[in-house]
Amino acid sequence: MRLDKYIAESSSDTRKVIRNYIKEGNVTVNDRLILDPAAEINENCDTIKCLGKVMKHPGKMYYMFHKPGGCITATKDESSLTVLDYFNVSNGSGLFPVGRLDKDTEGLLLVTNDGEFCHRLMDPSKKVEKTYYFWAFGSLDQKKKEQLQEGVMIGVNEELAKAESIIVDEEGKYLDLKNKMNFESVKGIKINPNYQPVTSGYITITEGRKHQVKRMLKSVGCYIVYLKRISIGSLVLDETLKKGEYRELTTEELKSLY
Ligand code: URA
């Protein structure tokens, strides 16, 4: 690992401050002065001191985050709140979100500093199931559910996108179900929405293409207005976490993802 990265992940200072510490001769590796922030160190056996203090790396970190709508799946942004704005860590912590949820999507997001863990979960060949709860304008009859499971076209030159499973939870008219829909305004719908059919349900997919669930449902005439990820593999969102809260994964939860 790079020397500046190791120190950033072990302290509350920014990478920029740390680079200056290194260049100004405040950092030693095994008691040897090192002036190059990009120097490679062995995090398992080297002793790194910054300003005379031994830097202890926190090791691998794995968190479950209940992503609220309005938060973007990034580590920094000029105009919107990002996932890391909800975390009580320094900006050099090395934490990053695993995969991506749209800005308006809520629910389970993993946050880690372990790149290998992230790659494994994101690798489409590993077929890790992700389940989403949705509300949509439109109806989902048996034929549409079969189409979704057989594979639908969601973009030019894209492979068919398939649902592993699709379960309808509630269906009816907007007028009768709007109080349950978790959805505040009907934008862009020109006709009176009250008598339009709405459907809620659960869809499971194993890939993570951009806006995949929204595009899949759109291909069968359903327009998602609320989307929440509730599980990844066998890991289910801990509903005691309020939106915007996070907690460490337990050892069992972590094992279940491997
Ligand atoms: N599919 C979507 O359309 N959006 C998400 O945020 C996740 C999956």
Side-chain angles (χ1 to χ4, degrees):
M1 183 189 291
R2 275 176 64 123
L3 179 58
D4 55 355
K5 183 168 189 280
Y6 180 92
I7 301 176
E9 290 176 4
S10 313
S11 78
S12 56
D13 290 319
T14 64
R15 275 252 198 145
K16 196 168 162 211
V17 168
I18 285 155
R19 283 198 199 110
N20 285 336
Y21 283 155
I22 299 171
K23 287 182 196 157
E24 287 161 7
N26 292 304
V27 171
T28 59
V29 177
N30 302 327
D31 292 325
R32 263 188 55 222
L33 190 64
I34 301 289
L35 298 170
D36 178 8
E40 280 297 315
I41 58 112
N42 183 335
E43 63 272 25
N44 297 318
C45 55
D46 289 340
T47 303
I48 288 85
K49 284 188 197 158
C50 180
L51 298 165
K53 203 173 124 214
V54 176
M55 294 284 106
K56 224 173 152 307
H57 195 273
K60 300 268 198 286
M61 296 181 277
Y62 306 92
Y63 296 103
M64 168 190 292
F65 174 53
H66 189 163
K67 180 191 173 299
C71 153
I72 61 168
T73 313
T75 52
K76 58 177 176 212
D77 189 77
E78 297 293 303
S79 51
S80 301
L81 280 176
T82 71
V83 172
L84 284 199
D85 290 323
Y86 291 85
F87 277 69
N88 188 17
V89 291
S90 71
N91 45 5
S93 65
L95 288 176
F96 56 86
V98 177
R100 193 174 40 194
L101 291 177
D102 297 337
K103 189 173 179 180
D104 57 355
T105 302
E106 298 179 355
L108 176 59
L109 187 68
L110 295 171
V111 177
T112 185
N113 60 354
D114 183 346
E116 234 175 87
F117 172 76
C118 175
H119 288 307
R120 192 150 12 84
L121 284 175
M122 298 309 297
D123 180 351
S125 74
K126 298 279 190 290
K127 293 202 171 296
V128 178
E129 294 192 339
K130 291 125 198 152
T131 300
Y132 296 82
Y133 173 71
F134 63 87
W135 272 103
F137 274 91
S139 52
L140 270 178
D141 56 18
Q142 189 56 28
K143 185 156 169 259
K144 288 182 182 180
K145 287 197 281 182
E146 279 166 17
Q147 277 174 347
L148 286 164
Q149 285 184 275
E150 277 157 22
V152 285
M153 274 273 291
I154 60 170
V156 187
N157 297 332
E158 276 192 56
E159 285 189 19
L160 294 184
K162 279 188 194 169
E164 294 304 304
S165 74
I166 173 118
I167 298 167
V168 169
D169 186 33
E170 293 191 74
E171 48 195 346
K173 290 195 199 74
Y174 175 67
L175 181 66
D176 300 325
L177 292 173
K178 64 179 171 191
N179 292 336
K180 293 185 173 179
M181 283 177 76
N182 245 333
F183 159 69
E184 265 128 42
S185 65
V186 181
K187 286 189 221 124
I189 296 180
K190 307 232 165 30
I191 41 175
N192 180 352
N194 281 340
Y195 299 97
Q196 296 300 311
V198 288
T199 307
S200 72
Y202 298 89
I203 181 167
T204 300
I205 56 173
T206 58
E207 296 172 292
R209 291 189 234 165
K210 203 166 186 213
H211 309 314
Q212 182 165 344
V213 173
K214 290 176 186 160
R215 290 194 288 152
M216 287 174 75
L217 284 179
K218 192 170 171 200
S219 77
V220 292
C222 289
Y223 299 88
I224 289 199
V225 289
Y226 176 77
L227 190 60
K228 175 178 182 177
R229 183 156 66 191
I230 54 167
S231 66
I232 299 174
S234 57
L235 179 71
V236 178
L237 176 66
D238 178 346
E239 291 286 354
T240 66
L241 288 178
K242 297 198 186 84
K243 289 178 203 175
E245 289 184 343
Y246 65 93
R247 68 156 171 80
E248 268 184 66
L249 291 185
T250 64
T251 314
E252 281 70 35
E253 286 171 336
L254 194 53
K255 270 196 208 146
S256 77
L257 290 170
Y258 272 85

